[in-house]
């Protein structure tokens, strides 16, 4: 993205400094220097499509380019203009601003250290550790921030000049060739600790690609089928622990077929991915190894913990993660929680990491996967769904309709399918009413999904003759641009609220979810439904929860009743990213009992086959 630069009458351009050459060092310090350069010089890069198969060295180069593109997008998102100023400066004045008095700074080579920065009362950052791994702007330059070795001071490491990086530069804030005599203001662009961890893994791997196992070769080219050190599948009939988490036939076939260093299993919505993961760990991982289950979604980890806790005596496990971010089930199995248990015992996991199981693998960015090799992983079993959402990208923060490309799981699936190698698929679903499942199956899964018999009976009884799919349509061009540079539709907001009010008694005990495709509409719906959401969380056990979410945040979630607000309503029949099949797959498959679509059918169904199929299956109310 190219930004326009504002200039005052006097030229205050800073002297441009080229990217610094690597300093002569070795080991850990050299890795950190390269990581600081990756984060501090987020140049715009053109990233070609990552081929499904490539040599390891070329693969690593491409993945690092993808990583640099994401860092650049994250920095651009922080610079996004608000009221003619970069976003990081125009947010509530002191929320992300600190002052540094030069008299308290120790100048070092390419950096300086500060022991006592001044935090304003309104600043969200309160202590030194709060700025660890942030990227800051001081004057006209980026700085990477981390604590020094004894954690007594913040070290600000020089990055690129804003103008050189094609980022907005306020000439009134420029430092020139030296710091002002008294003090400077530092603006935080946000926490980049996750990106830093990714960068460390990539830099270490690139420094010694040949020192890795054959897994790197299989990672770069999934069609290279190197056999893994997995146990042969054992029939668990009669095993009480295994029977507590029963396998259906498609799950059993998927687990039975695991054989190679890189494996992929397609798991459509609510087809038992957590059950498959449990039996992969219990039945396939050698007793001398420890399995790592990882996901970019906390909800997925909570589901796995729920399965594993049923048989914890035969499959002991720990959950690693920040307690405030993980689910209630997972919290009970963190390392700290187990150390603080009543009997004071600590179950130990003997052996070493050997197998990584990736849940919701379709959401995993490519640049996060190579870091697993640094943990000594020898086998990756990826369970995901290429039909649902693709990996999150910071580019969608800047433009929510931008294309994000594919991720690790999508590439592996494409490589295996192009080579004519089978992709096991879980086909029995346990969530949706049969009529909803039929539309989802025919639209996204080639008609292969089948509904579990008990699920079909329970959903049919729950609807009590009400249509499983209902479309509430209207006429007229109702969509608007919101102040958030997104789209909104006030008419649909009113229709959704009326729908909830009208069915308040009938849906009282039902869980309810309102889904929309646009951030602007999400904001308006939250505002309109705030009282109903609060009431649903008032502590009455008989009251079903109401949630308002975007499609992108709803993957992995479900509700008895789902209301989908389509937003788009115009004369030209333009529907933007409503035509994105990945988002549509997620939106259509969240409902257990009823799916109610609020949208201008004439606009939405004008050119889209999937929406047209939904309308044909729905009871239409005009």
């Amino acid at each position: 993205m190219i930004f326009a630069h504002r200039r005052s009458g006097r030229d205050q351009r800073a002297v441009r400094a080229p990217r610094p050459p690597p300093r002569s060092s070795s080991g850990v310090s050299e890795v950190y220097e390269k990581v600081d350069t990756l984060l501090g010089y987020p140049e715009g890069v053109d990233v070609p499509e990552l081929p499904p198969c490539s040599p390891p060295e070329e693969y690593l180069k491409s993945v690092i380019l993808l990583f640099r593109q994401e860092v650049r997008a994250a920095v651009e998102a922080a610079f996004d203009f608000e009221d003619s100023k970069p976003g990081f400066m125009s947010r509530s004045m002191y929320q992300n601003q600190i002052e540094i008095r030069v008299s308290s700074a120790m100048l070092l080579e390419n950096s300086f250290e500060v022991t006592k920065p001044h935090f304003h009362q309104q600043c969200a950052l309160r202590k030194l550790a709060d700025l660890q791994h942030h990227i800051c702007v001081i004057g006209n330059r980026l700085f990477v921030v981390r604590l020094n070795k004894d954690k007594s001071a913040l070290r600000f490491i020089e990055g690129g000049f804003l103008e050189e990086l094609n980022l907005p530069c306020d000439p009134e804030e420029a430092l020139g060739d030296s710091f002002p005599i008294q003090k400077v203001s530092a603006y935080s662009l946000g926490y980049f600790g996750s990106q830093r961890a990714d960068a460390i893994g990539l830099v270490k791997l690139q420094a010694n690609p040949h020192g890795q196992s054959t897994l790197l070769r299989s990672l770069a080219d999934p069609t290279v089928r190197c056999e893994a050190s997995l146990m042969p599948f054992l029939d668990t009939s009669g095993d009480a622990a295994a029977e507590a988490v029963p396998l259906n036939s498609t799950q059993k076939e998927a687990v039975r077929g695991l054989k190679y260093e890189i494996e992929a299993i397609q798991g459509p919505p609510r087809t038992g991915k957590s059950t498959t993961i449990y039996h992969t760990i219990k039945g396939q991982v050698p007793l001398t190894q420890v399995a790592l289950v990882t996901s970019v979604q906390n909800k997925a980890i909570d589901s796995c913990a729920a399965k594993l806790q049923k048989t914890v005596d035969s499959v002991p496990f720990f959950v690693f993660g920040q307690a405030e971010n993980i689910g209630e089930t997972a919290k009970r199995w963190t390392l700290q929680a187990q150390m603080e248990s009543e009997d004071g015992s600590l179950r130990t996991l003997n052996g070493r990491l050997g197998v990584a199981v990736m849940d919701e693998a379709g959401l995993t960015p490519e640049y996060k996967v190579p870091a697993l090799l640094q943990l000594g992983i020898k086998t990756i079993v990826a369970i995901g769904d290429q039909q649902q959402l693709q990996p999150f990208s910071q580019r969608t923060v800047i433009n929510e309709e931008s294309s994000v490309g594919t991720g690790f799981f999508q590439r592996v699936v494409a490589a295996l399918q192009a080579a004519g190698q089978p992709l096991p698929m879980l086909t029995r679903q346990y969530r949706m009413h049969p009529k909803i499942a039929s539309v989802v199956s025919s639209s996204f899964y080639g008609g292969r999904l089948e509904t579990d018999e008990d699920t079909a009976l329970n959903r049919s009884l729950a609807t009590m003759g009400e249509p499983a799919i209902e479309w509430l349509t209207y006429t007229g061009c109702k969509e608007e641009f919101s102040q958030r540079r997104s789209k909104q539709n006030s008419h649909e907001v009113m229709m959704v609220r009326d729908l909830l009010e009208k069915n308040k008694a009938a849906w009282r005990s039902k869980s309810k979810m309102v889904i929309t495709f646009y951030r602007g509409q999400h904001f308006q719906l939250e505002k309109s439904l705030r009282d109903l959401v609060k009431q649903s969380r008032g502590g009455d056990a008989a009251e079903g929860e109401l949630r308002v979410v975007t499609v992108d945040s709803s993957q992995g979630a479900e509700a008895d009743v789902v209301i989908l607000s389509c937003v788009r309503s115009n004369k030209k029949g333009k529907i933007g990213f409503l035509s994105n099949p990945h988002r549509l797959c997620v939106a259509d498959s969240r409902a257990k009992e009823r799916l109610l679509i609020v949208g201008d059918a004439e606009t939405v169904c004008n050119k889209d086959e999937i929406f047209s199929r939904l309308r044909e299956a729905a009871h239409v109310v005009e």
Side-chain angles (χ1 to χ4, degrees):
M1 183 176 290
I2 305 299
F3 291 88
H5 305 299
R6 295 184 294 109
R7 296 195 179 282
S8 61
R10 61 188 187 280
D11 188 0
Q12 293 192 356
R13 294 174 65 181
V15 178
R16 295 187 184 183
R19 181 193 293 250
R23 297 191 290 277
S24 58
S25 58
S26 60
V28 175
S29 60
E30 184 177 3
V31 170
Y32 286 165
E33 286 169 14
K34 289 182 178 179
V35 168
D36 290 335
T37 299
L38 280 174
L39 296 177
Y41 290 81
E43 300 161 322
V45 292
D46 293 325
V47 182
E49 185 75 22
L50 185 65
C53 306
S54 57
E57 292 81 2
E58 293 301 315
Y59 169 74
L60 285 175
K61 287 180 183 177
S62 298
V63 171
I64 288 176
L65 284 176
L66 284 171
F67 172 77
R68 289 176 57 193
Q69 185 183 59
E70 278 301 299
V71 173
R72 170 72 186 200
V75 171
E76 283 186 2
F79 272 92
D80 206 10
F81 273 100
E82 299 174 21
D83 303 325
S84 78
K85 279 185 175 289
F88 67 87
M89 291 180 65
S90 49
R91 294 188 198 109
S92 174
M93 185 63 180
Y94 301 123
Q95 281 190 357
N96 58 342
Q97 181 184 1
I98 64 171
E99 285 186 354
I100 299 171
R101 296 190 180 276
V102 174
S103 58
S104 69
M106 184 193 323
L107 298 180
L108 306 169
E109 183 184 3
N110 292 333
S111 66
F112 65 91
E113 287 188 357
V114 179
T115 54
K116 296 180 179 179
H118 175 68
F119 297 94
H120 290 280
Q121 286 186 346
Q122 298 176 39
C123 184
L125 310 167
R126 305 303 306 158
K127 54 186 184 295
L128 294 182
D130 290 344
L131 270 170
Q132 170 83 310
H133 302 325
H134 279 233
I135 293 180
C136 287
V137 173
I138 301 179
N140 55 355
R141 193 166 195 171
L142 293 181
F143 287 80
V144 178
V145 186
R146 50 186 166 95
L147 290 170
N148 65 357
K149 288 184 179 179
D150 61 8
K151 300 183 180 180
S152 63
L154 285 172
R155 187 178 181 190
F156 289 76
I157 300 140
E158 291 178 352
F161 286 104
L162 303 184
E163 189 171 15
E164 189 177 68
L165 295 170
N166 239 352
L167 293 168
C169 177
D170 188 340
E172 295 180 5
E173 295 282 334
L175 298 180
D177 295 330
S178 61
F179 288 110
I181 295 175
Q182 294 184 347
K183 63 183 179 180
V184 294
S185 291
Y187 297 91
S188 169
L189 301 185
Y191 176 73
F192 282 73
S194 176
Q195 291 92 330
R196 185 177 185 82
D198 295 330
I200 289 172
L202 289 169
V203 168
K204 285 183 176 179
L205 195 56
Q206 192 178 39
N208 186 25
H210 301 292
Q212 302 299 322
S213 65
T214 57
L215 182 59
L216 178 58
R217 188 159 59 102
S218 298
L219 196 61
D221 183 355
T223 62
V224 175
R225 307 302 269 165
C226 297
E227 290 200 8
S229 57
L230 295 173
M231 295 173 59
F233 181 81
L234 297 175
D235 191 345
T236 55
S237 300
D239 184 328
E243 289 183 349
V245 186
L247 273 175
N248 66 39
S249 58
T250 61
Q251 294 164 342
K252 182 179 290 187
E253 285 305 307
V255 176
R256 188 195 301 273
L258 297 177
K259 183 179 180 181
Y260 300 108
E261 287 185 337
I262 298 289
E263 290 281 11
I265 299 173
Q266 184 179 4
R270 200 64 156 77
T271 50
K273 292 187 287 293
S274 298
T275 296
T276 305
I277 289 171
Y278 168 82
H279 284 278
T280 298
I281 295 170
K282 181 168 177 58
Q284 300 292 85
V285 177
L287 295 176
T288 57
Q289 294 184 6
V290 173
L292 170 70
V293 180
T294 180
S295 177
V296 296
Q297 269 203 338
N298 290 319
K299 287 179 285 191
I301 295 299
D302 204 49
S303 296
C304 288
K307 290 288 191 300
L308 288 168
Q309 72 176 358
K310 294 180 180 180
T311 58
V312 69
D313 291 331
S314 63
V315 186
F317 71 99
F318 297 113
V319 174
F320 290 88
Q322 296 182 351
E324 63 269 23
N325 295 332
I326 60 179
E328 292 302 317
T329 303
K331 282 180 185 177
R332 297 198 291 271
W333 298 99
T334 61
L335 183 62
Q336 181 178 355
Q338 294 198 50
M339 292 179 68
E340 295 173 354
S341 62
E342 291 183 7
D343 60 7
S345 64
L346 178 64
R347 297 182 177 90
T348 58
L349 298 176
N350 296 320
R352 56 190 178 85
L353 286 173
V355 178
V357 183
M358 296 171 58
D359 194 6
E360 293 290 0
L363 294 171
T364 304
E366 189 79 52
Y367 59 82
K368 287 189 174 292
V369 180
L372 291 174
L373 276 65
Q374 296 299 309
L375 301 175
I377 295 297
K378 301 293 190 295
T379 304
I380 295 176
V381 179
I383 303 180
D385 186 8
Q386 70 274 21
Q387 297 300 117
Q388 295 189 68
L389 292 178
Q390 296 179 315
F392 169 78
S393 170
Q394 288 288 346
R395 283 168 283 165
T396 62
V397 176
I398 303 168
N399 177 6
E400 63 183 337
E401 296 208 23
S402 64
S403 173
V404 299
T406 59
F408 164 73
F409 187 79
Q410 290 83 354
R411 181 180 64 85
V412 171
V413 169
L416 295 178
Q417 290 181 335
Q421 298 182 15
L423 176 69
M425 176 176 165
L426 311 179
T427 58
R428 189 175 303 169
Q429 72 89 17
Y430 298 86
R431 172 186 295 156
M432 296 171 277
H433 188 288
K435 191 162 187 178
I436 302 173
S438 176
V439 176
V440 171
S441 179
S442 60
S443 298
F444 307 103
Y445 299 104
R448 294 177 63 190
L449 290 188
E450 60 182 44
T451 302
D452 173 69
E453 290 182 5
D454 290 342
T455 301
L457 177 61
N458 292 336
R459 300 299 180 259
S460 298
L461 291 174
T463 53
M464 296 293 290
E466 294 289 332
I469 306 175
E470 188 168 344
W471 192 306
L472 290 83
T473 187
Y474 56 89
T475 56
C477 302
K478 304 293 186 181
E479 73 179 56
E480 312 152 356
F481 277 103
S482 75
Q483 293 180 348
R484 298 168 180 267
R485 288 175 296 175
S486 180
K487 287 184 170 58
Q488 66 186 43
N489 187 318
S490 301
H491 184 70
E492 287 190 14
V493 172
M494 180 183 67
M495 289 179 69
V496 169
R497 183 172 181 96
D498 288 347
L499 193 56
L500 288 166
E501 293 278 13
K502 176 184 175 182
N503 293 281
K504 193 171 184 179
W507 294 350
R508 181 170 180 265
S509 62
K510 307 282 188 186
S511 57
K512 300 164 284 287
M513 187 189 302
V514 179
I515 302 177
T516 187
F517 294 86
Y518 288 93
R519 289 195 292 266
Q521 184 74 345
H522 177 252
F523 176 79
Q524 294 299 327
L525 285 164
E526 278 197 321
K527 184 177 177 182
S528 173
L529 304 177
R530 189 171 295 143
D531 58 324
L532 298 181
V533 171
K534 185 177 179 180
Q535 182 181 331
S536 76
R537 298 173 181 172
D540 184 351
E543 182 79 26
E545 185 182 11
L546 170 63
R547 288 169 286 171
V548 181
V549 298
T550 61
V551 171
D552 287 19
S553 64
S554 69
Q555 182 159 324
E558 63 184 15
D560 297 325
V561 178
V562 168
I563 302 173
L564 180 61
S565 173
C566 297
V567 180
R568 302 307 297 261
S569 174
N570 54 74
K571 291 180 180 178
K572 296 182 179 180
K574 292 184 176 181
I575 63 172
F577 65 22
L578 265 69
S579 61
N580 182 316
H582 304 290
R583 283 189 167 97
L584 269 179
C585 180
V586 173
D588 294 351
S589 59
R590 300 305 95 195
K592 296 164 71 175
E593 298 172 7
R594 298 195 66 196
L595 173 62
L596 297 99
I597 301 155
V598 176
D600 179 350
E602 184 176 348
T603 296
V604 174
C605 300
N606 183 38
K607 298 175 183 178
D608 191 88
E609 180 183 344
I610 298 173
F611 271 116
S612 297
R613 191 175 288 148
L614 267 174
R615 184 174 61 174
E616 290 173 6
H619 171 68
V620 180
V621 179
E622 298 185 3

